Amino acid sequence: MSEQTIMLILKIVGLYLLAGAIFSVIFLLKGLEKVDADAKGTSWSFKLLIFPGLCVFWVKFLLDWIKVKS
Amino acid sequence: MGVEYAGVLWNKQKKQYDKIMAFAILWMVILFVVLHLVFQPDFTAETLIIRTSAFVAFTLLNFILIIGPLARLQPAFLPLLYNRRHLGVTMFFFAAIHGIFSIIQFHALGNINPIVSVFLSNTKYEAISEFPFQVLGFFALIILFLMAITSHDFWLKNLSPKFWKGLHMMVYLAYTLIVLHVATGILQYENNLLYWMLLIGSFGLVAGLHLASAWKERKWRKTQVYQLEKDNFFEVATVKEIPDNCGKGIWIADQNIAIFKYNNCLSAVNNVCRHQMGPLAEGQVVEGCITCPWHGYQYQPEDGQSPPPFHEKLETYQLAVLNGKIWVNPDPMPEGTYVAPIKITD
Ligand code: HEM
Ligand code: FES
């Protein structure tokens, strides 16, 4: 693999995670309790703990959130 | 079942385990640093950090991996099993320190991106003695990272137990990569006997214990040969052998089934707890609910459902009793299906 290919992959991964981080902040403030009822009234330390995972698996939660809304 | 999520669940017992873990790690660090300074004093602080964190992470990983088979061979080790999570996350932190410092030390000085450099600074993929071993460590670290960030129970539920289990089974892939990383790495950096002995010894221990526990399980399954009556019902136990409010685990037609006796009735559900695969048959029926022996998740025996407000569901199975013998149909009913409990007459 060339330097360009690896850089491209890294950039795509980076953008995906960045989008995930932005989504996750909004999701933690507004969506979490709607998608998982067990998460009602959980502490900020819990939210901080799941934040990195949300940045990676955010697409799944976006879809869940859309499903709950409609 | 499912409790409301809290940040980190620390109870008295877990704090005790974490204290022991912290002390053990402290001693590992001291031991490694002292030995290193005695035998190889002319090394930089960065190298010491890279090697100490590698040593701690690798030791913890080996320890974590032998807990499973140890607990299967000898139930006295079970408490370690329930406390594996904090060990895993701690192991990841040490592995991350090692990986990040290695990248800074070996790749951050040039003018290409340090991560690109991990892949391109050495491309001799056909050579064993000069293999780009850091690439192996890199992929292992990514797996460990994904496991660490999904270690909270929230992830087990939201990613589904099946996906979660699959993700966390990748620890064996990570372990294989790390063993190869270390082997090809010490070939290049520290080709000395002690390192080889430690590596081969720990790999042998992990592999050996897994084989031993698989062997034990296979032997046990072979003793589980049941007679077929008709309509796919198999005779698997006697009513008498199950104490009141207790269960019996059986393995039949690739189904892991727990049969429970309570209130003069019998019910059967899947034996695998939806929380972390705990063996339900080893739990008891408490206030009408099967209670997992590991962390206390509960299920109603007649339909395999957790009592409201929880939503976990187990597969259920049809039973029959004839002349004091219990017969089971190993075809699972869909999760949460009500199956009328069998009354025990006599
Ligand atoms: C980005 C990921 C990683 C990189 C770039 C990396 C890099 C390195 C380097 C450069 C060495 C040789 C260091 C030396 O001897 O001076 C090494 C050795 C080693 N690595 Fe990694 N590694 C990575 C991930 C891991 C992971 C995840 C583990 C898991 C525990 C691990 C365990 C070890 C061990 C046990 C050694 C041998 C001890 C030593 O010589 O330091 N590495 N690694
Ligand atoms: S495995 Fe945790 S409660 Fe069953």
Side-chain angles (χ1 to χ4, degrees):
Chain A
M1 262 202 292
S2 70
E3 185 179 343
Q4 281 81 6
T5 327
I6 300 178
M7 270 319 279
L8 183 69
I9 295 173
L10 285 182
K11 277 183 185 150
I12 293 172
V13 172
L15 278 178
Y16 173 84
L17 293 178
L18 185 69
I22 296 168
F23 168 83
S24 301
V25 172
I26 304 169
F27 180 76
L28 282 175
L29 292 174
K30 297 195 163 162
L32 178 65
E33 305 188 347
K34 287 177 198 133
V35 168
D36 183 348
D38 286 348
K40 269 208 178 89
T42 45
S43 62
W44 63 267
S45 63
F46 165 73
K47 289 178 175 144
L48 208 64
L49 213 60
I50 63 169
F51 181 76
L54 286 176
C55 295
V56 173
F57 293 102
W58 62 278
V59 176
K60 191 235 175 229
F61 292 89
L62 177 64
L63 295 177
D64 283 358
W65 197 2
I66 292 172
K67 226 189 278 167
V68 173
K69 272 202 160 166
S70 60
Chain B
M1 209 170 102
V3 271
E4 259 178 29
Y5 304 122
V8 182
L9 274 179
W10 265 301
N11 53 32
K12 214 171 128 193
Q13 224 185 17
K14 285 221 159 72
K15 277 194 182 142
Q16 197 70 30
Y17 276 97
D18 285 354
K19 250 188 229 159
I20 298 171
M21 174 174 76
F23 267 110
I25 291 173
L26 187 67
W27 279 110
M28 265 194 267
V29 170
I30 292 174
L31 185 78
F32 190 84
V33 170
V34 167
L35 285 179
H36 207 281
L37 287 178
V38 169
F39 289 105
Q40 295 167 320
D42 42 353
F43 270 97
T44 61
E46 287 89 344
T47 303
L48 205 55
I49 292 174
I50 288 174
R51 294 195 172 176
T52 309
S53 51
F55 171 72
V56 172
F58 189 60
T59 310
L60 284 177
L61 181 58
N62 281 298
F63 183 67
I64 290 166
L65 288 178
I66 63 173
I67 291 175
L70 272 182
R72 258 170 274 147
L73 290 167
Q74 175 48 260
F77 288 106
L78 274 172
L80 285 175
L81 196 70
Y82 316 145
N83 292 285
R84 251 191 323 193
R85 187 177 323 205
H86 295 184
L87 270 175
V89 176
T90 309
M91 183 268 296
F92 164 71
F93 276 116
F94 279 91
I97 292 174
H98 165 78
I100 292 167
F101 269 85
S102 295
I103 290 178
I104 294 173
Q105 167 101 329
F106 296 98
H107 303 283
L109 298 172
N111 48 12
I112 66 170
N113 178 297
I115 295 180
V116 175
S117 164
V118 169
F119 288 91
L120 292 186
S121 62
N122 172 358
T123 49
K124 299 194 188 105
Y125 286 92
E126 68 289 340
I128 291 182
S129 63
E130 293 168 86
F131 190 83
F133 68 100
Q134 300 186 28
V135 173
L136 302 170
F138 183 85
F139 285 115
L141 190 60
I142 288 185
I143 296 176
L144 299 182
F145 169 72
L146 290 175
M147 290 173 59
I149 61 172
T150 56
S151 65
H152 196 280
D153 271 353
F154 170 85
W155 294 103
L156 186 76
K157 179 183 167 198
N158 280 285
L159 294 177
S160 88
K162 211 169 164 183
F163 183 90
W164 189 87
K165 178 89 177 171
L167 181 64
H168 284 241
M169 286 304 272
M170 299 235 309
V171 73
Y172 289 104
L173 176 59
Y175 183 67
T176 311
L177 290 171
I178 289 166
V179 168
L180 294 172
H181 167 76
V182 181
T184 43
I186 55 185
L187 216 55
Q188 283 167 52
Y189 280 83
E190 282 294 343
N191 206 350
N192 78 44
L193 189 65
L194 182 66
Y195 274 30
W196 280 111
M197 273 167 34
L198 282 176
L199 177 64
I200 295 172
S202 40
F203 178 73
L205 186 67
V206 170
L209 281 170
H210 276 82
L211 287 177
S213 81
W215 178 256
K216 189 182 164 192
E217 177 122 351
R218 224 186 74 167
K219 240 174 56 188
W220 176 75
R221 273 191 213 172
K222 270 204 182 146
T223 62
Q224 310 262 304
V225 183
Y226 302 114
Q227 175 198 341
L228 179 63
E229 167 79 325
K230 56 174 187 181
D231 303 331
N232 208 23
F233 274 82
F234 293 80
E235 181 189 327
V236 291
T238 61
V239 174
K240 275 215 190 94
E241 76 182 277
I242 307 179
D244 272 338
N245 293 320
C246 287
K248 179 182 161 77
I250 53 152
W251 193 279
I252 186 167
D254 274 335
Q255 293 290 316
N256 192 356
I257 303 175
I259 302 174
F260 281 92
K261 181 157 135 189
Y262 58 101
N263 292 344
N264 234 8
C265 286
L266 292 166
S267 287
V269 297
N270 192 273
N271 193 14
V272 184
C273 180
R274 288 299 121 101
H275 178 219
Q276 284 181 8
M277 322 266 157
L280 291 172
E282 288 164 30
Q284 295 204 339
V285 178
V286 179
E287 289 170 6
C289 280
I290 299 166
T291 305
C292 178
W294 284 12
H295 319 88
Y297 271 42
Q298 291 194 308
Y299 307 89
Q300 294 155 1
E302 65 277 9
D303 58 10
Q305 299 197 15
S306 289
F310 305 111
H311 346 270
E312 277 72 20
K313 285 179 193 158
L314 303 166
E315 291 93 352
T316 49
Y317 300 86
Q318 293 171 309
L319 291 176
V321 174
L322 203 71
N323 301 331
K325 304 268 166 50
I326 304 173
W327 300 74
V328 65
N329 180 344
D331 295 337
M333 311 288 281
E335 295 174 355
T337 308
Y338 175 82
V339 175
I342 304 287
K343 277 257 176 299
I344 306 168
T345 46
D346 82 357

